[in-house]
Each structure stands twice: as C-alpha cells, then as structure tokens.
Amino acid sequence: MSELHKFLFEGLPVRGMLVRLTEGWQEVLKRRAESGDEFPKPVRVLMGEMAAAGVLMQSNINFNGALVLQVQGDGPVKLAVAEVQSDLAFRVTANVTGEVPDDARLEALVNVHGRGRCAITLDPQGRVPGQQPYQGVVALHGDRREPLQELASVLEHYMLQSEQLDTKLILAADDHLAAGLLIQRLPVEGVGNLEGQGRSNEDEIGINEAYNRIAHLAATLTREELLTLDAETVLRRLFWEEDVRRFEPLAPRFSCNCSRERVAGMLRNLGQDEVESILTEQGKVEVGCEFCGRKYLFDPIDADELFIPARDQPPGSTALN
C-alpha cells in the first residue's frame, strides 16, 4: 500500500518525510499501457519522481488546494506535470514529442538548449474571483549555470531560493514503485520570529551542524535501496543513532477527476462547427484524458445531443452516459 511517513528529530531543527507510491503509481502506468500511450522508460522515471516529490511537498506545507509541479522545456519532453491535492490524491502526465534516448537524464529530456524551467503552483481550493494561484519558477541549472541532471537537485535549489531552507531530497522510480526521502532544516517560528530572529532562517543556510549531519546520512541512501527497502528498514539504517519521533503514516492515492461530463463541457466550449468538422473527418469524436489515459467516445448522435438544450432532450437521453 502507498504510504507517507513523517518524522522529527527530537531536540533538533530537522524534519523528514519518506514516501512510497505503490499501487497508485502502478495504476498510472497500467492505464497508460491499456490506452496504447505508454511513455519511454526515462519519462516514466521522471513522472514517478515528480509524483513522489509532489506528495512530499504537498504534505510538507499542508496546503488546502492543489500543488502542481511542472517541468517544461525544449527537449523531447515538452511538459511533465504532477498534481497533488490536499488529501494526497495525485495524478501525473507528460507531453512527449520527440525521440527519447534510453539513458536520457533531465537535461536531455527537457533542457537541451538551456531553456527548461520548473514551476510549482499552489492553487487554493474554493478560489474566489480575482484570486490568483501562487507560482514559483526556477531554472534547471545551478548557481554556476551548470545544467542539473536530477529533479531532486532542481527542487533542492528551489527550496533554498524560495524558502531559504536547506533541503536534502532523494528520489527514485521504476515501473513498480515511486519513492522519495526529504530532509529539511526547520525554520525559526513563533516566539523566535517575534524576537526578531526570523532572518536566522537565512543566516543558518549551510552551517547548521545538526541538519548537515542528518543530511549527510540521508545522502548515503542509494536509489536502489530506496526502491527495494521498506520504510522501516530505510529509516533504521540511516538514523539508528538519532532520536526520531514518528507520526501515524498517511496513504497517498492515485485519483483523476476526469469524467464524461467534463469532456462534454469541453466539447461544447469547442463549438458545434468544430465538433461537426471532426465528425465529418473521423466519423466520431474521441477524447483521451492526458492524466489517466481513459478514452471518451462520442458518436454522431452523442455529439448532436451535446448542443440540444436540456429541456428539449427526450426523456432518458444518454447524451452524457
């Protein structure tokens, strides 16, 4: 079962999380395979790492709304997206338009000419008119303009720039599991901020001994270990000398909110002329969900009923079924 473990290091300004996405991640890949739209292996790895990272980041900020992690650029992967809701329901997809080398890493996937970007968007639930989501954007290179080859390095850089918090992130994914370990230095909060210590968040960057020690331990975790060892074994091997306070594990899950009703609304917005043009050319309208791969088919009768006012439809119409 998919699981998220949150923990604190007693007496130290350090927190951690470990996520393992199993059946939810496998469901994503299964639906893609069934739809005949399976991604190349390096893209599947990137999507799995993004799903794990999205769950970690959403749980870290406890945000009431959707956290959307996007990587886009000028490589064969034009866009990859992971969306995680406040209840840790996640979905993930990618737009691949070119050939993907078997050994492609992040630069070769999305940052071939250095124009790749990573964006994190927080979209509040029940957003009022005029309210805009918050978005932070970071380039896919380090301080010396060197291309970053791992998503984990990009997100560590993002957290350092946006929150002034040291973060260590280990990510890994294969066709069975998407997993991640996050270690982060805690900010000064509460009374500390009232006493004017808030800037110590920035002053502590890179020099907090407790964080540096624990981050060094976390960095010894290999991708293979993250993918093959259970959560108990990982935490025991890494932090057996530390006083770790564990919390009740949470259960992330795959979920896609696509529906025939939503697709019907999209087709209505497209317009009757455009829909009829597709029918003339193809004899049907088929729409596939970019996130879960589910196909929605509208034959000529279904398409006609889309543009008939509800009051004029015959009883028992199946226009949206």
Side-chain angles (χ1 to χ4, degrees):
M1 185 179 76
S2 296
E3 54 191 1
L4 173 72
H5 298 266
K6 304 177 75 171
F7 50 95
L8 291 172
F9 294 86
E10 292 285 9
L12 302 177
V14 185
R15 62 184 168 195
M17 284 181 285
L18 175 65
V19 66
R20 291 169 52 84
L21 303 178
T22 52
E23 72 278 1
W25 171 237
Q26 293 166 21
E27 180 69 15
V28 172
L29 299 182
K30 176 185 175 183
R31 293 194 181 199
R32 280 289 170 183
E34 289 176 346
S35 70
D37 192 21
E38 191 172 23
F39 292 111
K41 181 179 178 180
V43 180
R44 299 198 301 272
V45 170
L46 174 62
M47 290 171 56
E49 291 184 353
M50 290 179 67
V55 170
L56 289 170
M57 298 180 75
Q58 171 66 279
S59 182
N60 199 27
I61 61 176
N62 195 26
F63 175 68
N64 185 24
L67 182 146
V68 182
L69 171 61
Q70 294 177 285
V71 178
Q72 59 190 50
D74 50 16
V77 178
K78 300 304 179 186
L79 176 68
V81 182
E83 178 186 282
V84 185
Q85 301 294 331
S86 55
D87 63 354
L88 302 186
F90 71 90
R91 58 182 189 166
V92 59
T93 189
N95 179 14
V96 182
T97 61
E99 185 175 349
V100 177
D102 292 338
D103 59 349
R105 301 173 72 189
L106 190 63
E107 180 184 9
L109 289 173
V110 295
N111 198 30
V112 175
H113 301 293
R115 293 193 290 270
R117 295 290 184 270
C118 174
I120 297 175
T121 304
L122 301 180
D123 190 3
Q125 188 175 38
R127 188 154 41 100
V128 300
Q131 183 182 10
Q132 298 297 317
Y134 165 81
Q135 184 177 77
V137 180
V138 65
L140 304 184
H141 57 68
D143 292 333
R144 297 183 299 276
R145 305 293 298 179
E146 74 280 11
L148 297 177
Q149 300 294 348
E150 303 289 344
L151 176 67
S153 300
V154 173
L155 296 177
E156 289 173 356
H157 194 58
Y158 175 90
M159 294 304 299
L160 197 60
Q161 286 190 338
S162 65
E163 303 295 333
Q164 288 79 53
L165 290 178
D166 296 295
T167 303
K168 185 62 185 176
L169 187 59
I170 311 294
L171 298 170
D174 58 19
D175 287 350
H176 304 286
L177 175 69
L181 172 66
L182 181 146
I183 299 296
Q184 190 171 69
R185 178 175 56 83
L186 286 166
V188 173
E189 296 179 343
V191 175
N193 283 329
L194 295 177
E195 293 175 349
Q197 298 176 21
R199 66 170 287 107
S200 66
N201 288 339
E202 183 175 351
D203 294 343
E204 283 282 297
I205 290 176
I207 63 172
N208 185 278
E209 292 183 4
Y211 167 80
N212 287 341
R213 182 182 74 253
I214 292 171
H216 177 75
L217 294 172
T220 65
L221 180 67
T222 67
R223 294 170 64 91
E224 181 179 3
E225 289 172 333
L226 187 55
L227 290 172
T228 57
L229 301 178
D230 61 68
E232 298 293 333
T233 302
V234 169
L235 296 179
R236 184 174 64 252
R237 285 191 179 185
L238 290 178
F239 309 122
W240 63 276
E241 290 187 308
E242 305 294 335
D243 186 4
V244 179
R245 182 177 11 142
R246 301 272 299 275
F247 298 94
E248 192 71 22
L250 303 174
R253 59 187 175 86
F254 166 76
S255 178
C256 186
N257 60 4
C258 72
S259 68
R260 189 172 179 84
E261 287 78 7
R262 286 175 177 265
V263 174
M266 181 272 292
L267 293 176
R268 290 192 189 96
N269 290 333
L270 193 61
Q272 189 168 6
D273 290 344
E274 185 65 26
V275 171
E276 289 180 351
S277 174
I278 297 173
L279 286 170
T280 299
E281 180 180 344
Q282 302 180 12
K284 62 183 179 180
V285 178
E286 185 176 83
V287 179
C289 175
E290 290 294 328
F291 281 95
C292 71
R294 180 174 293 166
K295 304 291 187 182
Y296 295 93
L297 178 64
F298 292 77
D299 62 22
I301 295 176
D302 295 329
D304 284 344
E305 290 182 341
L306 291 174
F307 301 98
I308 299 175
R311 66 179 181 275
D312 296 331
Q313 291 189 12
S317 169
T318 59
L320 299 180
N321 295 321

